[in-house]
Amino acid sequence: MTNLPLTNTQINASLNSKEDKLESLIGHLTRDDKEEIQKTFEDRMPEKLISNLSIKSTNGDFFEAAKFVSEGMQVIVDDQFSRAFKKKNYKPWNFEKYLYPVWILGVLFRYLVLFPLRVLIWVGGFFLIAVIFIIGSLILMKNKQKKLKFQTYMIKSWALLCFVSWSAVVRYHGTIPPKTTNNGKSLVFVANHTTLNDVVLLFRRQPCSIVGQRHSGFVGFLQNYVFAALDPVWFERWETKDRQSAIRKIKNRLNSGNVPLLLFPEGTCVNNEYCVMFKKGAFELDATIIPIAIKYNKLFANAYWNSREQSFLMHTLSLWASWAVIADVYFFPPQNKLPDETSTQFANRVKAMICRKAHLINCNADGYLKHVKLNENFIKHRQSQMANFLKKRFNLKEEENQNENQNQNENEKEKEKEKENIQNNNNNSQSEKNLKNLKNQNVLQNKKKITKSQSEIVLNSKKEK
Amino acid sequence: MGNTAPYKVLTQTELSELQENTNLSQKQIISLFKRFEALDKDDTGIITYDKLFSIPELAMNPLVLRVIGLFDPKEPDPEKIQFNFTQFIQTLSVFSEKASNEEKIRFAFQSYDVSNSGFIDSDNMKKILKFFVGDCLNEKQISEIIQKTFEEYDKEKNGKISFEDFQKIIDIDDICDKMTILI
């Protein structure tokens, strides 16, 4: 809302430096990681591809090239995937003569009064809570249950402190779920991800242990000193070994049943208008899942944290300088994987629930594609899908590896066979009218043949006579 | 590859010049300019095959190679395609609402005319199919598909479909509808 317009060169310069950072990031990716990303993308692709395919030659667009080309162009003009990570632009409302002075006053008030006040409140409150937290934990060291209760309470007050510093108005809908299921296993909270502050919104109601990526800087500080009380599971996204041990940790945690686990299956922050592909990891745990939809109102603050453009500290500071954070949080009833459901289907079902409630556009691209490019295997995979489709569509027969060891005679024979096949297939693929016409033609031709042969017979008999 | 130098910033004269030569409004040109800059990650003023391929939804399009190829019909190898902002605008201009049906149908025809020869023959069909399936179907299977398609559409039985033939075959409204996108 208050960003000054940057010149193009400035924007480009900042983008370039970010791009360099990304390249160094990609350097950390192991081959396994890349393959996994590729594979998940390939898994999801066929449904989308096939739903787009009809390759019917009814309107002269033989292979639907025009359709695919135009779809391709549309995506070049604007694609959903990059839109999912763009801040939504609002029409400036302050360029009216009578509104502008008021707006200026508002800016001055936000930056000169609200901002310092909020920073003071947050920092002061944070130290106060930290001191009470440490002393309380030391006193209650021997009584584990009491200690956990106390710590949970303190974390809730920390969330309240954050709320106060943002002037947050958060409405909770649906029943707040219990901590564990009946059989003593922890619940798994699954939510859409807009900013790290999502966590605070949930902590206010139900502190839970976060499963997420390890950060550095300000976020790292919060991770190490604030969230640490709730036994979070941190892992380096780019290290396979760590991830496997994280999965083991998660499974152990589920059985202990102390606090629910919180997962963001998108794996990245999205702008709260779209929802990118859910990673199926969370849905393979065999746990009961509570879907949570979080929707921010962007009128008084932009809650989206674009990690490529902004550090988390800057993001938090900009929230403190905004009017208020307004959000709705919807808790859904517990969901379990149905017996005949794959984990991918389960993930998609939960995602659809969240999207509907939070009015997000359901986009099926993997958030990691921000960092990773699809390679040639992907294209090959898609081509084989297309080939299978065309084989069915045109009734082609599998004839592989035969070409090499064949004589010319055999080839010729096959060609004849093929022609027969083609004729048969044509009959199948053409419309009923054509079929009737063809049949009529055949009948006519047969009749002609018959009459010819009859006349020949007659001729012959005449000759004999 | 282009005739003009890459634009750093669009001036008013450049903008009105582009507007005259295309079917796009100034607003559309400006938004396309922003998009072009976003796609042009290393800021060279030229978009290449690689840069386009980083759009995941485009990479999922079975005809991605043809789509990219259409930005420079004279270049036979899609991987070598590169184009500047003017070419970018001119190609996308065909998909504007204001573009004439004639333009749109020509472009649809062009989509099949991979070799830029002025007519669609079995060679072109083969190339289109290759974009779809790569090496996953053998020559025989591909030629079978082509044969079937020609039997259905090549009414003059000369093995070629000219632009005039194409206009007769297609459902013009349908194609023009398809060839219009939101810019």
Side-chain angles (χ1 to χ4, degrees):
Chain A
M1 235 160 65
T2 51
N3 282 346
L4 291 167
L6 293 166
T7 62
N8 283 329
T9 43
Q10 272 177 306
I11 292 169
N12 283 332
S14 70
L15 277 178
N16 281 343
S17 64
K18 292 273 151 47
E19 219 54 56
D20 291 343
K21 274 183 202 163
L22 271 179
E23 265 167 35
S24 64
L25 232 175
I26 291 166
H28 292 302
L29 269 176
T30 63
R31 188 178 287 171
D32 287 349
D33 285 323
K34 280 187 184 172
E35 275 170 12
E36 198 188 311
I37 294 164
Q38 190 92 29
K39 222 179 138 250
T40 48
F41 203 60
E42 283 170 6
D43 281 349
R44 308 284 173 115
M45 191 195 52
E47 351 171 344
K48 204 193 164 185
L49 189 66
I50 299 300
S51 72
N52 276 337
L53 282 178
S54 59
I55 313 211
K56 260 187 210 164
S57 29
T58 49
N59 47 18
D61 192 3
F62 324 114
F63 300 124
E64 302 238 326
K67 183 186 158 196
F68 285 121
V69 162
S70 137
E71 274 177 10
M73 292 293 176
Q74 178 71 76
V75 168
I76 288 175
V77 170
D78 195 5
D79 69 308
Q80 242 187 16
F81 184 70
S82 50
R83 252 182 287 159
F85 302 104
K86 236 189 257 168
K87 267 190 185 174
K88 203 181 174 187
N89 284 328
Y90 284 93
K91 277 184 190 167
W93 54 270
N94 51 355
F95 292 132
E96 306 261 1
K97 271 178 202 160
Y98 57 94
L99 275 179
Y100 200 66
V102 185
W103 181 76
I104 290 280
L105 276 180
V107 171
L108 289 176
F109 179 71
R110 282 192 288 125
Y111 280 89
L112 297 179
V113 181
L114 277 183
F115 179 73
L117 198 69
R118 284 166 169 179
V119 174
L120 270 178
I121 290 175
W122 194 86
V123 173
F126 182 80
F127 275 108
L128 197 68
I129 289 174
V131 169
I132 299 173
F133 187 94
I134 292 165
I135 295 172
S137 306
L138 285 174
I139 294 170
L140 297 169
M141 209 147 68
K142 280 169 191 166
N143 192 333
K144 265 197 175 176
Q145 274 208 333
K146 267 194 179 172
K147 185 182 155 194
L148 187 73
K149 222 175 181 180
F150 167 74
Q151 289 184 335
T152 314
Y153 180 74
M154 289 318 290
I155 293 249
K156 276 189 180 179
S157 5
W158 175 73
L160 181 66
L161 175 71
C162 290
F163 276 27
V164 170
S165 76
W166 299 326
S167 312
V169 181
V170 183
R171 285 161 294 200
Y172 295 91
H173 310 263
T175 47
I176 313 304
K179 282 180 190 168
T180 55
T181 53
N182 293 334
N183 57 15
K185 264 192 159 187
S186 288
L187 289 165
V188 176
F189 288 4
V190 159
N192 60 312
H193 202 13
T194 313
T195 159
L196 259 163
N197 295 323
D198 293 337
V199 168
V200 180
L201 302 193
L202 296 176
F203 275 10
R204 182 75 195 111
R205 271 302 132 102
Q206 175 63 67
C208 31
S209 67
I210 311 166
V211 180
Q213 184 196 354
R214 186 174 283 289
H215 289 258
S216 55
F218 183 56
V219 185
F221 164 76
L222 291 178
Q223 284 182 329
N224 288 335
Y225 296 101
V226 181
F227 304 144
L230 293 159
D231 281 348
V233 184
W234 304 125
F235 59 94
E236 310 282 344
R237 182 170 292 162
W238 311 109
E239 282 174 27
T240 326
K241 270 187 193 171
D242 227 30
R243 190 190 296 162
Q244 273 160 0
S245 72
I247 288 169
R248 220 175 304 125
K249 266 193 228 167
I250 292 171
K251 285 200 167 157
N252 287 337
R253 196 66 49 76
L254 280 174
N255 293 325
S256 74
N258 272 335
V259 276
L261 287 170
L262 172 60
L263 275 156
F264 295 109
E266 284 173 298
T268 183
C269 292
V270 187
N271 66 2
N272 212 239
E273 296 293 325
Y274 290 83
C275 190
V276 297
M277 192 180 95
F278 274 18
K279 309 251 178 305
K280 60 182 176 186
F283 302 89
E284 279 172 337
L285 294 171
D286 233 8
T288 305
I289 281 176
I290 309 277
I292 298 170
I294 304 172
K295 182 70 176 177
Y296 289 92
N297 183 330
K298 288 166 209 83
L299 191 57
F300 296 114
N302 195 332
Y304 169 47
W305 175 36
N306 190 340
S307 57
R308 294 175 81 177
E309 285 180 0
Q310 219 176 16
S311 71
F312 185 70
L313 187 61
M314 285 310 290
H315 170 67
T316 314
L317 293 181
S318 80
L319 280 184
W320 279 331
S322 307
W323 285 113
V325 173
I326 300 170
D328 285 284
V329 179
Y330 302 90
F331 288 94
F332 289 86
Q335 302 292 323
N336 280 308
K337 196 162 104 177
L338 301 175
D340 54 347
E341 213 173 25
T342 65
S343 43
T344 311
Q345 285 169 331
F346 185 33
N348 282 340
R349 181 161 63 91
V350 169
K351 186 185 171 199
M353 291 170 79
I354 291 175
C355 286
R356 220 177 303 128
K357 204 68 177 186
H359 303 287
L360 305 173
I361 295 166
N362 197 334
C363 165
N364 228 350
D366 187 329
Y368 284 172
L369 286 174
K370 272 205 294 191
H371 311 290
V372 185
K373 224 173 180 178
L374 292 164
N375 67 19
E376 282 172 6
N377 285 336
F378 170 72
I379 300 175
K380 281 202 180 120
H381 181 75
R382 194 197 54 215
Q383 286 174 337
S384 74
Q385 293 279 338
M386 283 300 298
N388 285 335
F389 180 82
L390 284 174
K391 272 182 204 162
K392 273 185 203 161
R393 162 86 177 84
F394 287 93
N395 292 324
L396 298 187
K397 283 185 178 174
E398 296 273 354
E399 288 173 84
E400 281 171 30
N401 303 327
Q402 288 184 359
N403 290 334
E404 295 163 6
N405 309 322
Q406 272 173 352
N407 298 326
Q408 285 186 345
N409 291 336
E410 279 179 348
N411 270 333
E412 280 175 9
K413 276 181 192 172
E414 273 200 4
K415 274 182 189 170
E416 284 175 10
K417 273 185 192 172
E418 257 182 30
K419 277 181 189 169
E420 286 172 12
N421 281 336
I422 289 165
Q423 281 175 352
N424 293 333
N425 291 334
N426 271 332
N427 290 345
N428 291 335
S429 63
Q430 267 163 339
S431 60
E432 284 180 29
K433 280 184 187 174
N434 289 340
L435 247 177
K436 278 180 188 170
N437 285 337
L438 267 176
K439 275 182 186 170
N440 288 338
Q441 280 176 3
N442 283 335
V443 172
L444 278 175
Q445 280 172 355
N446 288 337
K447 277 184 183 173
K448 276 179 190 170
K449 275 181 193 169
I450 292 168
T451 45
K452 264 187 187 175
S453 55
Q454 279 177 345
S455 59
E456 276 172 10
I457 293 169
V458 173
L459 275 173
N460 287 337
S461 60
K462 276 182 183 174
K463 275 179 187 173
E464 280 178 9
K465 281 181 183 175
Chain B
M1 292 293 285
N3 318 321
T4 43
Y7 299 102
K8 285 288 171 214
V9 180
L10 275 181
T11 63
Q12 192 56 43
T13 43
E14 282 164 343
L15 199 58
S16 41
E17 201 178 299
L18 284 171
Q19 194 192 359
E20 270 173 40
N21 295 329
T22 60
N23 306 307
L24 301 163
S25 69
Q26 292 209 353
K27 213 174 163 190
Q28 286 173 322
I29 294 174
I30 291 170
S31 82
L32 283 177
F33 184 68
K34 280 181 191 154
R35 178 66 173 169
F36 187 87
E37 282 196 320
L39 290 174
D40 179 21
K41 281 177 187 142
D42 54 0
D43 204 20
T44 52
I46 285 169
I47 287 188
T48 56
Y49 169 84
D50 279 340
K51 289 177 194 170
L52 279 182
F53 226 86
S54 65
I55 309 172
E57 281 165 80
L58 184 64
M60 283 177 72
N61 190 314
L63 270 190
V64 51
L65 290 173
R66 186 67 198 128
V67 174
I68 295 173
L70 278 165
F71 279 94
D72 189 357
K74 283 166 200 152
E75 171 64 57
D77 183 0
E79 293 191 25
K80 283 183 192 151
I81 288 281
Q82 38 181 288
F83 53 88
N84 62 17
F85 182 61
T86 320
Q87 286 164 302
F88 181 68
I89 284 277
Q90 274 162 357
T91 310
L92 290 172
S93 151
V94 178
F95 293 86
S96 143
E97 275 178 24
K98 288 179 205 149
S100 67
N101 282 5
E102 160 90 16
E103 266 180 282
K104 285 177 194 290
I105 297 166
R106 274 234 175 258
F107 202 88
F109 181 74
Q110 181 99 60
S111 312
Y112 286 102
D113 182 12
V114 185
S115 53
N116 203 24
S117 57
F119 48 80
I120 305 167
D121 58 11
S122 56
D123 256 14
N124 286 324
M125 291 267 190
K126 200 177 190 176
K127 278 176 187 158
I128 287 277
L129 279 174
K130 281 271 181 196
F131 288 142
F132 270 123
V133 299
D135 300 324
C136 297
L137 290 182
N138 57 36
E139 294 287 317
K140 214 188 279 170
Q141 288 169 316
I142 286 181
S143 55
E144 199 180 323
I145 295 175
I146 292 170
Q147 202 180 339
K148 283 175 190 174
T149 317
F150 267 106
E151 270 169 34
E152 209 170 328
Y153 285 107
D154 182 18
K155 298 201 168 122
E156 293 167 14
K157 305 282 174 210
N158 58 2
K160 281 179 190 175
I161 294 172
S162 67
F163 182 60
E164 284 71 31
D165 296 338
F166 187 69
Q167 273 176 310
K168 282 174 208 158
I169 298 167
I170 55 165
D171 178 347
I172 291 179
D173 287 340
D174 182 60
I175 291 270
C176 292
D177 213 37
K178 266 186 206 163
M179 301 294 280
T180 304
I181 61 173
L182 261 171
I183 297 176

